[in-house]
Amino acid sequence: MAEKTGTVKELAAIANVSRKSYYQWLKREVTKHELEDQAILEAIYQIEKRHQHSAGYEKVTKILNNVNGKNAGIKEFTFNFNFPINIKRVRRIMREHGIKADIRQKKHNLQRQVQQYKEDNLLKRRFDQPLPNLVWVTDTTELSYGVANKVRFHAVLDLHGRYVISYLISPTETADAAINVF
């Protein structure tokens, strides 16, 4: 497919800029800030090559500013920039050029741990009881039915005759359901 080219006037009209602005942009000088960014980018590429794409923007900023940190390998570069390098600037340059650390973030388990209470072994494996209503035990069991349906079966058992005294079927396992069985 042949590409069509147009005149500067037509292209400027498409881009919604004036011809004068286009020629000013064409002849503009590179700013000091852009030169600094280019120097920082070249240094970032060196750091990325040395650290095998595992250095994030915080570590890169420390290396560029020659900050001696705890991480091994920060002292191996000596960049002498005569201007301070901000972490926001490093992050912007890395984002603009698609530079990322190839490391996986830790996934933290956000489930809150419930405190569990461990009681003394009062029964001492004496499951045969001589009289009724001396020892009751309880249990909660999850029962599945159908494809994805589950219920919880809460029961209280008397160890003398090994019969169910009370039971409750609930859709969720809650402390209220276990207490209601009693």
Side-chain angles (χ1 to χ4, degrees), residues 34-52:
E34 290 174 335
L35 289 173
E36 290 175 355
D37 283 354
Q38 188 61 35
I40 292 171
L41 179 63
E42 291 171 9
I44 289 172
Y45 280 133
Q46 289 178 16
I47 295 167
E48 283 292 303
K49 184 177 179 183
R50 172 66 178 93
H51 287 275
Q52 299 171 349

Side-chain angles (χ1 to χ4, degrees), residues 86-131:
N86 190 342
I87 193 168
K88 293 178 186 177
R89 190 176 196 182
V90 172
R91 186 172 47 211
R92 176 185 53 83
I93 292 170
M94 289 177 70
R95 185 176 55 238
E96 286 175 355
H97 295 279
I99 302 170
K100 288 184 181 178
D102 291 336
I103 55 173
R104 187 171 48 120
Q105 295 293 325
K106 287 183 180 177
K107 292 184 180 178
H108 299 285
N109 187 3
L110 299 177
Q111 293 177 349
R112 175 177 261 166
Q113 295 292 328
V114 178
Q115 184 177 2
Q116 295 186 4
Y117 300 98
K118 187 175 181 181
E119 296 293 330
D120 293 332
N121 186 2
L122 301 175
L123 201 53
K124 296 186 177 147
R125 301 195 58 83
R126 293 183 304 224
F127 298 116
D128 294 325
Q129 294 298 317
L131 298 172

Side-chain angles (χ1 to χ4, degrees), residues 26 32 88:
L26 198 61
K32 179 183 173 186
K88 293 178 186 177

Side-chain angles (χ1 to χ4, degrees), residues 2-179:
E3 291 189 26
K4 295 182 180 181
T5 58
T7 63
V8 173
K9 183 177 180 180
E10 292 170 349
L11 295 174
I14 292 171
N16 199 19
V17 294
S18 66
R19 279 188 355 215
K20 181 180 178 182
S21 298
Y22 167 72
Y23 284 117
Q24 284 179 344
W25 174 81
L26 198 61
K27 295 179 182 179
R28 70 180 173 85
E29 293 182 12
V30 180
T31 64
K32 179 183 173 186
H33 189 55
E34 290 174 335
L35 289 173
E36 290 175 355
D37 283 354
Q38 188 61 35
I40 292 171
L41 179 63
E42 291 171 9
I44 289 172
Y45 280 133
Q46 289 178 16
I47 295 167
E48 283 292 303
K49 184 177 179 183
R50 172 66 178 93
H51 287 275
Q52 299 171 349
H53 305 286
S54 65
Y57 59 88
E58 289 182 22
K59 187 172 184 179
V60 169
T61 306
K62 286 181 182 178
I63 294 171
L64 290 174
N65 286 319
N66 294 323
V67 175
N68 296 328
K70 298 176 186 175
N71 300 329
I74 289 183
K75 297 179 184 178
E76 61 211 29
F77 294 102
T78 53
F79 297 109
N80 294 321
F81 294 108
N82 56 357
F83 53 90
I85 299 170
N86 190 342
I87 193 168
K88 293 178 186 177
R89 190 176 196 182
V90 172
R91 186 172 47 211
R92 176 185 53 83
I93 292 170
M94 289 177 70
R95 185 176 55 238
E96 286 175 355
H97 295 279
I99 302 170
K100 288 184 181 178
D102 291 336
I103 55 173
R104 187 171 48 120
Q105 295 293 325
K106 287 183 180 177
K107 292 184 180 178
H108 299 285
N109 187 3
L110 299 177
Q111 293 177 349
R112 175 177 261 166
Q113 295 292 328
V114 178
Q115 184 177 2
Q116 295 186 4
Y117 300 98
K118 187 175 181 181
E119 296 293 330
D120 293 332
N121 186 2
L122 301 175
L123 201 53
K124 296 186 177 147
R125 301 195 58 83
R126 293 183 304 224
F127 298 116
D128 294 325
Q129 294 298 317
L131 298 172
N133 295 328
L134 283 180
V135 178
W136 288 357
V137 292
T138 183
D139 188 26
T140 301
T141 305
E142 183 177 88
L143 303 171
S144 299
Y145 66 95
V147 177
N149 299 323
K150 294 181 180 179
V151 293
R152 278 59 175 193
F153 179 72
H154 308 276
V156 176
L157 185 75
D158 184 8
L159 285 183
H160 172 67
R162 297 202 180 156
Y163 55 91
V164 175
I165 297 172
S166 174
Y167 70 91
L168 177 71
I169 297 175
S170 67
T172 59
E173 184 174 359
T174 60
D176 290 336
I179 291 170

